[in-house]
Every structure is written in structure tokens, then in C-alpha cells.
């Protein structure tokens, strides 16, 4: 069946039991499930009425055994340790060594740190992957069709919804924590490998049947204020290291000096000031990539000039937005993830910087997440097409190598969603006729800024009027695509086999797109 | 002018292409290896540009190695020409056909 972004979704997927027997609908458009009701699917949890002194177990292996993990079950992880994560590989090694098979990994995201999982996929031990990000070797083997079931790729908000709604049931959650006490109260600060917040893991702690906290820094009870509460935790394991600190948080994300990026960032700031939402008390999220991050730098003088302040900023947080807060230009930072050590230090030491859960950040199925009140979001893209659909998951060769992350959530929620991307990258046309994979639907994308001009979604006549009034020049997006093709040539269509290797869920749980097995390219 | 030795031009930098031409007595143009970071979408066009450039230069027999990192057609053409003239040892004679000489 064809969906609202024109993608053909195979009927057998709609009837499949991948969504825990409920079947799938195809994507129907922005806000489709608004006003509907769901029943949250809670976990089956053990009663701990008799007092015990400690939940500490001697090893991860012991925790896997005690958790009752069996063939065919689902385990979960979070990605706050990013490329420095040791937890996924440590736990999966024990699971594999114990001979447990047919495992589904439901992680908030996975990255190149998890290359060893590719081998478990090839061996048929890991048979399901549900994640936001999929990269490196894992992306390659899944794209080659080696995972038994299609990978299910969700936004950060969509993941919380899926867990709460019971689309995926987590049997055992393994939660890496920078600090924990013997009852499993866990925090992201104070250990050897601080990651700032544990936002993505909260839903796992609340909805998994069994919860194991793994730390390398045991602290005295009670480890408060806790991100993960001991009342939800079955076992605690202390290991030598949960991750590699240098890869968990890079030093302050460097502000780009690339003139092309700076020019685009300046134009994004100009567009923002031309809209009615750029007024005292506005809200904002931007990415950590070159041009997106640089927008912070251009906003500062514009805010000072107009005498206005930002009420709050959300998202993956970097030092540059924290700096604006410390200068008094941002009221509060509400944090779902930290990208650099400056951001971690800010939440540790400074005022008005708070942790939130992934549900509070972006879940479309709760009673109003932060993204729903967001004025502006500035995002990057691998590709944008002439219908404003964005791809952030598949590379130009059709192989999985990215993550929707909070992209679709913030794009749908924000009043003004601005994509900033160079027109071409090497020989690749970023603005193209048809994106390889739709990860954020075009009806959520408002403005696209490139180094060769900008385009506004015709659905947003209000923004077009604002820009015209302010004298900000814009062109039809088709013109940008034609310009790109005139420089790099028209790309050949990718060649696919029929087999679906991954499903891109829209944040409301409908199917936005599928990724098929790529045919090897013969020249 | 003909290929006397192995001629290489270009780098492995992004947006560049490395072309290596080996002289051959017969066998026509043989592409011994073709790699590209944009194989699926532009491999066919890059190969066509390499072959067209060799044809324009009048190369009848050669072994060709292509290692592309997303070069544009103008770069492909320039690297093929340079590899060819290096293989012809134009630098020894000091007579690179610069500028508009190449058609």
C-alpha cells in the first residue's frame, strides 16, 4: 500500500506480527493519531517485600542468569555512552557464551562501538534489532539481509511510545550507569565515565520486566537525586569500566571555521529573526553538526540587538548553548543527552540546566512533550528531496549508516523546522528528486537552507510571507535540486532486491518507509 | 605519443580520483580495478568518462585502475589526461600539452 509520502509498503508487513501481533498501518500524515487513546502495557515485576541489604551480583553473567533471560527474548540498552560504550558488547558476550539464542536487541541507539554485534547477527544469534541508530558493520550486515527479521528503526520519541504501547516488550533492560548504589539508584554524574544524563534509559527502567544496572562506580545509598530509581531495579553489577570516557564525551564541539557552514548558519539565524516566533521567550533546539551548531553564534548578537532572550533550549546539548545560558541569554536548558564535556560540566555545576526523560522530550503518545512547545529546530540531513522529505539513515549506496534520533520528533513538533545542509557533498547531491529513504516526512519540514540558496515548503505560506516581507530571498526547491544535478550529474537509481531489511517507523508507529536489500553494483 | 611506463595521477582525497594507466601491447582498454565511494549512483558515469577520455587521447591498449572518492567529471577527465601524459613520460621531454592543447 502506498503511504502519505508516496512510498510503497509491502502488504505482508502490514499483517506481520512485528508489532507484537497488532499489525501495521502505513503513514497517514502529520498528527494522524492525535486524540486517539492507548492502553499502556506495563511490565510484570517481582515483589520485593522482605528487606534485603543489597541487590549487587558478582558478575554480568550472574545477572543474565538471574534475570531469567531465555531464547527468543528482548534485551535493551541506552546510548548515553555513545562511541565509548562497553555495556552492549559486555552483556551480549555473556548472553552468547551462555548459549542463549534468538535475541532481539531493542536499544535507544547503536553505533560503531557495537561492531561485534554484526557477527552475532551473521551467526543467527541476534535475530531482531530495534534502534534509532544503526551504523558500521551492523549497518552493513543488516543491509545485506543477514538479520532474520527486518530491523525496526524509530525516532527517540517513537521508541518511548513503542515501549509504552507494547509494540516492543523488553524482557531485560541492561542500564549502564556512571554511578549507582547497592539498590540501583543510578545517576549520570560522579563516576569515572560521566555522561551527564540518563534520559533514554528511563522508559526501559519503567517498562522492562527485569532491570539490571551496571556501573563502575558504586556509591553510598541513597544515590540521589536519581535518574534511574532503585524501585525499578532488580540487580546491580559492578564492573571495572562501563565505557571509555574520551569517546563518551568529546571535548567541546569545535565551532566550525568553514566559511560555507558559517554562511549557512548566518542565513538560518536571519530566517529565524524574520518569523513571528523570534520574540522574547522563544524556544530552540539545534544539532551538534557544523552549520547547525554555528547557528548559536549568530543568534547571540541578534538576540542582544533585539533585546530578547530565549526561554528554553532542549535536545542533545553542547557547550555552546550552555555558554549562551551563562551569558543570561537562555533561561533554562532541558537536557536529553550531552554531546561534550562542557555540557556535562554545565549540568553538574551550573543552575537552570535540568535532565528530562526521552518521553518528556519527544514521545508523541504522552500528554504533551517538550517538542510540542518548540518554536524553532535546526537540523541537518543526508538528503532532502523536492517534496521536502528528509533522509538521515541510508547513505548514497543504500546502506544503513545513520539515525533518525530526535529529527522526526522535533520536526513535527516545532513551529518552524529548518534543515541546513550544503547543496552537494563531494559528488552527492544533497537536494535530490527522491530521497533514498524517508526518515522525516516532508509535511514536517518547513525551510531548507543550502549554500546555494534556500527554499520554503509551499505548505508554509505564513513563513513565505514573513521572508518576503523581510527581504530574505528564496527559491522553489526544484531549482536547488536542478542546480545540484547540473554540478554533479543526475544520479543513477539504486538497485534493490525485494527483501525488506529495515522498517522506518514514523513517530506514531505507522510505516514511513522500508529499506530493502541492496543489489551489488556491477560496473 | 604512447604509454611507455605506468602513469598515475590523482589522490585518494575525497572528491578526487586516482587513475593508473599501464601500457599494454594488445587487449584494448582493460579496467583491472574500479572502486568508487559513489559506485551505485555515479559509477557508470565515471567509467564512461574514463573511457571517453582515453578514447579522445587515442589510447588503444592499456590496463586501467580507478580509485574514486566522489570526483566530478571534470576531475575524472583531468586525472586521466595527466596519468596518460605521465605514462608517456612527457615530463622527461618537458612537453606537457597544457591548457587548450588537449581536446
Amino acid at each position: 500500500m502506498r503511504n502519505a509520502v508516496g512510498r510503497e509498503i509491502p502488504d505482508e508487513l502490514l499483517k506481520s506480527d512485528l508489532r507484537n501481533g497488532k499489525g501495521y498501518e502505513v503513514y497517514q500524515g502529520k498528527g494522524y493519531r492525535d486524540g486517539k487513546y492507548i492502553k499502556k502495557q506495563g511490565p510484570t515485576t517481582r515483589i520485593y517485600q522482605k528487606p534485603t541489604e543489597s541487590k549487587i551480583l558478582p558478575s554480568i553473567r550472574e545477572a543474565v542468569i538471574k534475570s531469567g533471560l531465555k531464547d527468543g527474548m528482548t534485551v535493551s540498552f541506552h546510548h548515553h555512552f555513545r562511541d565509548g560504550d562497553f555495556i552492549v558488547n559486555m552483556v551480549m558476550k555473556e548472553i552468547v557464551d551462555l548459549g542463549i539464542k534468538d535475541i532481539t536487541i531493542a536499544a535507544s541507539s547503536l553505533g560503531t562501538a557495537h561492531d561485534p554485534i554484526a557477527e552475532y547477527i551473521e551467526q543467527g544469534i541476534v535475530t531482531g534489532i530495534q534502534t534509532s541508530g544503526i551504523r558500521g558493520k551492523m549497518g552493513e550486515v543488516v543491509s545485506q539481509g543477514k538479520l532474520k527479521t527486518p530491523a525496526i528503526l524509530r525516532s527517540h520519541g517513537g521508541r518511548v511510545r513503542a515501549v509504552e504501547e507494547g509494540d516492543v516488550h523488553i524482557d531485560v533492560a541492561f542500564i549502564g550507569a556512571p554511578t549507582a548504589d547497592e539498590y540501583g539508584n543510578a545517576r549520570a554524574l560522579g563516576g569515572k565515565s560521566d555522561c551527564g544524563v540518563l534520559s533514554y534509559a528511563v522508559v526501559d527502567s519503567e517498562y522492562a520486566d527485569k532491570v539490571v544496572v551496571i556501573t563502575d562506580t558504586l556509591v553510598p545509598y541513597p544515590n540521589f537525586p536519581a535518574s534511574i530509581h532503585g524501585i525499578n531495579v532488580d540487580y546491580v553489577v559492578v564492573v571495572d569500566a562501563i565505557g571509555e570516557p574520551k569517546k563518551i564525551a568529546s571535548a567541546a564541539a569545535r565551532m566550525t571555521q568553514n566559511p560555507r557552514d558559517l554562511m549557512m548558519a548566518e542565513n538560518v539565524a536571519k530566517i529565524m529573526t524574520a518569523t513571528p516566533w523570534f520574540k522574547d521567550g522563544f524556544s530552540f533546539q539545534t544539532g551538534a553538526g557544523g552549520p547547525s551548531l554555528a547557528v548559536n553564534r549568530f543568534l547571540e548578537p541578534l538576540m542582544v540587538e533585539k533585546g530578547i532572550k530565549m526561554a528554553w533550549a532542549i535536545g542533545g546539548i553542547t557547550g555552546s548553548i550552555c555558554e549562551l545560558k551563562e551569558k543570561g541569554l537562555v533561561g533554562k536548558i532541558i537536557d536529553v543527552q550531552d554531546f561534550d564535556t562542557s555540557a556535562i560540566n554545565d549540568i553538574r555545576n551550573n543552575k537552570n540546566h535540568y535532565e528530562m526523560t526521552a518521553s518528556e522530550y519527544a514521545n508523541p503518545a504522552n500528554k504533551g512533550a517538550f517538542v510540542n512547545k518548540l518554536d524553532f529546530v535546526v537540523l541537518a540531513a543526508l538528503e532532502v528531496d523536492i517534496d521536502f522529505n528528509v533522509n538521515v539513515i541510508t547513505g548514497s549506496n543504500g546502506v544503513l549508516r545513520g539515525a533518525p534520533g530526535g529529527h522526526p520528533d522535533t520536526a513535527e513538533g516545532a513551529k518552524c523546522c529548518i534543515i541546513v545542509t550544503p547543496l552537494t557533498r563531494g559528488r552527492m547531491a544533497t537536494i535530490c528528486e527522491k530521497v533514498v529513504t524517508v526518515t522525516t516526512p516532508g509535511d514536517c519540514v518547513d525551510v531548507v537552507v543550502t549554500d546555494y540558496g534556500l527554499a520554503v515548503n509551499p505548505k508554509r505560506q505564513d513563513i513565505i510571507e514573513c521572508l518576503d516581507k523581510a527581504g530574505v530571498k528564496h527559491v522553489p526547491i526544484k531549482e536547488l535540486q536542478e542546480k545540484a544535478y547540473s554540478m554533479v550529474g543526475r544520479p543513477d537509481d539504486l538497485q534493490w532486491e525485494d527483501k525488506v531489511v529495515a522498517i522506518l517507523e514514523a513517530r506514531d508507529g505507522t510505516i514511513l518507509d522500508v529499506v530493502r536489500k541492496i543489489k551489488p553494483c556491477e560496473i | 605519443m604512447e604509454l611507455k611506463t605506468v602513469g598515475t595521477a590523482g589522490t585518494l582525497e575525497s572528491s578526487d580520483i586516482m587513475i593508473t594507466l599501464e601500457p599494454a601491447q594488445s587487449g584494448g582498454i582493460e579496467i583491472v580495478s574500479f572502486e568508487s565511494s559513489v559506485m551505485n549512483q555515479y559509477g557508470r558515469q565515471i567509467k564512461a568518462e574514463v573511457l571517453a577520455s582515453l578514447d579522445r587521447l587515442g589510447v588503444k591498449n592499456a590496463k586501467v585502475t580507478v580509485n574514486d572518492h566522489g570526483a566530478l567529471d571534470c576531475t575524472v577527465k583531468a586525472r586521466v589526461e595527466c596519468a596518460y601524459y605521465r605514462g608517456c613520460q612527457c615530463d622527461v621531454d618537458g612537453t606537457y600539452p597544457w591548457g587548450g592543447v588537449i581536446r
Side-chain angles (χ1 to χ4, degrees):
Chain A
M1 189 187 284
R2 226 172 140 81
N3 70 10
V5 287
R7 298 288 159 135
E8 200 57 51
I9 310 299
D11 288 341
E12 62 266 25
L13 275 185
L14 306 180
K15 287 174 269 171
S16 74
D17 62 355
L18 287 163
R19 207 167 149 246
N20 250 341
K22 283 182 282 186
Y24 266 116
E25 285 186 87
V26 298
Y27 180 66
Q28 308 278 332
K30 190 174 177 174
Y32 165 61
R33 290 186 73 197
D34 184 64
K36 294 191 168 63
Y37 284 80
I38 59 167
K39 177 84 179 164
K40 289 191 187 177
Q41 304 295 321
T44 303
T45 67
R46 182 187 183 278
I47 295 172
Y48 289 82
Q49 190 174 0
K50 287 186 189 165
T52 52
E53 277 309 303
S54 168
K55 301 177 185 173
I56 296 176
L57 293 179
S59 66
I60 291 176
R61 173 175 288 239
E62 195 74 15
V64 171
I65 295 168
K66 280 252 174 135
S67 73
L69 190 73
K70 289 186 192 66
D71 293 358
M73 283 189 168
T74 298
V75 296
S76 84
F77 303 96
H78 68 73
H79 71 287
H80 285 287
F81 304 146
R82 309 202 302 149
D83 276 346
D85 178 60
F86 290 168
I87 301 286
V88 173
N89 296 341
M90 283 195 296
V91 171
M92 288 310 297
K93 185 177 184 306
E94 296 301 335
I95 291 173
V96 171
D97 286 352
L98 284 164
I100 304 168
K101 327 179 277 295
D102 194 12
I103 290 293
T104 293
I105 297 178
S108 57
S109 199
L110 296 164
T112 48
H114 308 123
D115 278 354
I117 305 305
E119 202 174 309
Y120 304 145
I121 291 172
E122 295 196 89
Q123 291 165 356
I125 298 169
V126 170
T127 52
I129 297 279
Q130 308 198 7
T131 178
S132 178
I134 182 160
R135 303 179 172 87
K137 281 188 186 160
M138 208 186 308
E140 285 168 24
V141 298
V142 172
S143 292
Q144 289 159 9
K146 290 178 177 165
L147 185 69
K148 196 175 161 198
T149 59
I152 299 176
L153 308 176
R154 299 187 178 99
S155 69
H156 291 327
R159 176 178 191 261
V160 182
R161 178 206 53 74
V163 172
E164 290 186 352
E165 219 178 322
D167 293 2
V168 52
H169 178 76
I170 301 166
D171 293 295
V172 188
F174 294 91
I175 300 178
T179 66
D181 62 31
E182 69 265 28
Y183 253 44
N185 293 298
R187 301 190 66 205
L189 294 170
K192 296 175 235 175
S193 310
D194 290 358
C195 59
V197 294
L198 285 171
S199 312
Y200 295 123
V202 174
V203 67
D204 305 55
S205 74
E206 291 170 346
Y207 282 81
D209 288 349
K210 288 282 161 61
V211 177
V212 180
V213 162
I214 303 172
T215 188
D216 55 12
T217 307
L218 191 69
V219 297
Y221 182 89
N223 184 25
F224 259 55
S227 306
I228 302 298
H229 290 269
I231 54 165
N232 295 319
V233 177
D234 292 86
Y235 308 113
V236 176
V237 179
V238 184
V239 296
D240 292 338
I242 52 172
E244 190 178 339
K246 272 188 187 156
K247 290 186 181 171
I248 291 173
S250 47
R254 202 175 54 87
M255 192 60 88
T256 178
Q257 296 301 319
N258 180 333
R260 182 173 77 169
D261 288 352
L262 292 174
M263 178 187 72
M264 291 192 287
E266 191 174 6
N267 286 334
V268 170
K270 271 189 205 156
I271 291 163
M272 288 173 62
T273 56
T275 69
W277 309 288
F278 192 74
K279 58 178 196 289
D280 197 43
F282 75 103
S283 59
F284 180 61
Q285 171 170 346
T286 190
S292 322
L293 186 64
V295 174
N296 289 321
R297 164 176 155 180
F298 291 102
L299 275 185
E300 182 179 342
L302 292 168
M303 287 161 70
V304 171
E305 185 194 313
K306 286 209 168 188
I308 66 169
K309 286 176 184 169
M310 188 190 303
W312 47 274
I314 54 168
I317 301 300
T318 58
S320 75
I321 196 79
C322 300
E323 259 173 53
L324 287 186
K325 171 176 70 72
E326 290 305 293
K327 285 179 182 170
L329 290 168
V330 177
K332 289 181 174 125
I333 291 174
I334 317 293
D335 186 333
V336 74
Q337 182 177 13
D338 289 307
F339 287 130
D340 59 26
T341 46
S342 317
I344 293 171
N345 288 333
D346 192 72
I347 195 169
R348 188 201 319 266
N349 300 320
N350 297 338
K351 282 185 181 162
N352 298 319
H353 187 158
Y354 305 96
E355 177 173 1
M356 66 173 153
T357 66
S359 184
E360 286 176 295
Y361 171 51
N363 178 3
N366 66 21
K367 294 175 184 174
F370 267 92
V371 295
N372 289 12
K373 281 185 73 65
L374 190 59
D375 289 324
F376 299 100
V377 64
V378 180
L379 298 162
L382 291 172
E383 293 180 308
V384 186
D385 69 22
I386 51 176
D387 296 317
F388 289 84
N389 297 312
V390 173
N391 171 23
V392 288
I393 193 84
T394 38
S396 62
N397 56 359
V399 174
L400 296 162
R401 50 152 288 192
H407 204 295
D409 301 310
T410 50
E412 183 174 30
K415 294 178 186 69
C416 181
C417 166
I418 303 172
I419 306 288
V420 55
T421 176
L423 190 70
T424 60
R425 285 192 184 94
R427 191 161 182 161
M428 302 313 307
T430 310
I431 311 297
C432 60
E433 276 185 352
K434 197 171 169 226
V435 289
V436 176
T437 310
V438 181
T439 55
T440 296
D443 55 3
C444 300
V445 173
D446 302 320
V447 186
V448 177
V449 176
T450 76
D451 44 345
Y452 284 82
L454 61 102
V456 186
N457 192 331
K459 287 188 174 128
R460 293 305 300 267
Q461 286 301 319
D462 57 330
I463 296 178
I464 290 175
E465 271 172 37
C466 293
L467 296 189
D468 287 345
K469 214 167 123 192
V472 178
K473 204 170 161 273
H474 55 94
V475 297
I477 194 161
K478 182 77 184 147
E479 222 168 88
L480 295 177
Q481 172 259 314
E482 281 166 359
K483 176 77 190 166
Y485 284 15
S486 77
M487 291 158 73
V488 300
R490 169 177 291 274
D492 290 344
D493 289 336
L494 296 182
Q495 301 299 313
W496 308 94
E497 294 184 11
D498 285 340
K499 185 184 167 86
V500 170
V501 298
I503 295 170
L504 258 298
E505 268 188 23
R507 59 194 298 253
D508 62 7
T510 56
I511 300 186
L512 194 54
D513 206 348
V514 295
V515 181
R516 294 171 195 273
K517 185 177 169 184
I518 191 88
K519 265 190 198 163
C521 190
E522 302 284 338
I523 293 293
Chain B
M1 206 158 18
E2 66 179 40
L3 280 171
K4 294 173 187 159
T5 181
V6 176
T8 295
T11 69
L12 299 176
E13 295 293 315
S14 153
S15 298
D16 201 350
I17 182 167
M18 190 185 259
I19 301 282
T20 305
L21 301 177
E22 273 180 74
Q25 291 311 310
S26 59
I29 305 291
E30 184 197 347
I31 296 187
V32 287
S33 159
F34 191 106
E35 288 173 48
S36 172
S37 62
V38 293
M39 182 71 95
N40 302 62
Q41 292 187 304
Y42 292 102
R44 185 186 56 78
Q45 294 173 51
I46 291 167
K47 184 182 171 190
E49 188 59 54
V50 169
L51 293 177
S53 299
L54 289 171
D55 186 55
R56 218 167 27 244
L57 293 162
V59 183
K60 299 275 180 272
N61 301 300
K63 289 182 176 175
V64 187
T65 304
V66 176
N67 194 337
D68 168 66
H69 286 82
L72 298 177
D73 280 346
C74 52
T75 311
V76 176
K77 201 169 140 189
R79 295 310 191 195
V80 172
E81 286 168 1
C82 185
Y84 173 67
Y85 290 121
R86 282 178 179 162
C88 295
Q89 297 187 322
C90 279
D91 45 344
V92 177
D93 308 337
T95 53
Y96 272 117
W98 290 109
V101 179
I102 308 166
R103 296 295 164 197

